[in-house]
Amino acid sequence: MESLIKEPTIDTPRVVLNADLGVFELSQMSLPEDAVDFYAPILNWLSEYSENPNPNTVFDMKLEYFNTASSKQLIQILLLLGNLKDKTNVVINWYYKEIDEDMLALGEEYSQIINMPFNLIPIPKNTK
């Protein structure tokens, strides 16, 4: 399966979906004008990956900010990953700036929504 990599723009996140390694990352900001359109290829790719996942799958969520429309798509991504836990060892790393209590709370909430523990990883405020 071919990797899916998208470089970030002002409004869209960096996307790395590496099937060979089973390592996925979303980082920076997610404010696309049409979140459904932006995330559709990602959801399709993950659906295909779920048919034959690696023994270990790691998802690094490193978004600094995302809008409500992106939130709905992120939940869909997380639900797909949550459904993989019977086929692969899934690890979700939720990174947040240590001063961003809202992003920490979202990580905790999403973990409950998909009924799967996240590694909540604070990023010190003096790092980018």
Side-chain angles (χ1 to χ4, degrees), residues 50-79:
S50 69
E51 293 173 14
N52 189 24
N54 283 357
N56 295 300
T57 299
V58 177
F59 182 72
D60 291 328
M61 175 71 81
K62 296 180 177 181
L63 290 175
E64 298 168 25
Y65 180 80
F66 51 88
N67 60 14
T68 303
S70 294
S71 174
K72 293 175 183 178
Q73 301 307 306
L74 296 173
I75 288 173
Q76 295 304 311
I77 289 170
L78 293 168
L79 286 168

Side-chain angles (χ1 to χ4, degrees), residues 2-3 5 8 12 14 22 25 40 62 71 73 79 83 90 100 102 104 118 120 128:
E2 195 170 317
S3 294
I5 298 173
T12 61
R14 180 171 194 261
E25 179 183 313
K62 296 180 177 181
S71 174
Q73 301 307 306
L79 286 168
N83 290 336
V90 179
D100 191 345
D102 291 336
L104 170 60
F118 289 9
L120 300 168
K128 193 163 184 194

Side-chain angles (χ1 to χ4, degrees), residues 3-119:
S3 294
L4 175 63
I5 298 173
K6 293 183 175 202
E7 291 303 321
T9 67
I10 292 172
D11 297 328
T12 61
R14 180 171 194 261
V15 177
V16 177
L17 303 175
N18 186 320
D20 293 335
L21 299 176
V23 176
F24 312 142
E25 179 183 313
L26 289 177
S27 58
Q28 299 183 15
M29 305 283 249
S30 184
L31 307 161
E33 194 169 307
D34 185 342
V36 172
D37 185 55
F38 177 80
Y39 282 99
I42 296 166
L43 288 164
N44 290 336
W45 189 97
L46 287 169
S47 291
E48 186 178 332
Y49 173 81
S50 69
E51 293 173 14
N52 189 24
N54 283 357
N56 295 300
T57 299
V58 177
F59 182 72
D60 291 328
M61 175 71 81
K62 296 180 177 181
L63 290 175
E64 298 168 25
Y65 180 80
F66 51 88
N67 60 14
T68 303
S70 294
S71 174
K72 293 175 183 178
Q73 301 307 306
L74 296 173
I75 288 173
Q76 295 304 311
I77 289 170
L78 293 168
L79 286 168
L80 272 172
L81 292 169
N83 290 336
L84 286 177
K85 62 186 168 192
D86 292 335
K87 297 179 177 181
T88 177
N89 177 37
V90 179
V91 174
I92 299 176
N93 297 315
W94 183 276
Y95 293 83
Y96 65 96
K97 291 183 181 176
E98 68 181 359
I99 60 171
D100 191 345
E101 293 178 13
D102 291 336
M103 194 61 83
L104 170 60
L106 281 171
E108 292 169 341
E109 181 180 334
Y110 289 179
S111 174
Q112 291 177 353
I113 288 171
I114 69 166
N115 194 28
M116 194 171 150
F118 289 9
N119 294 321

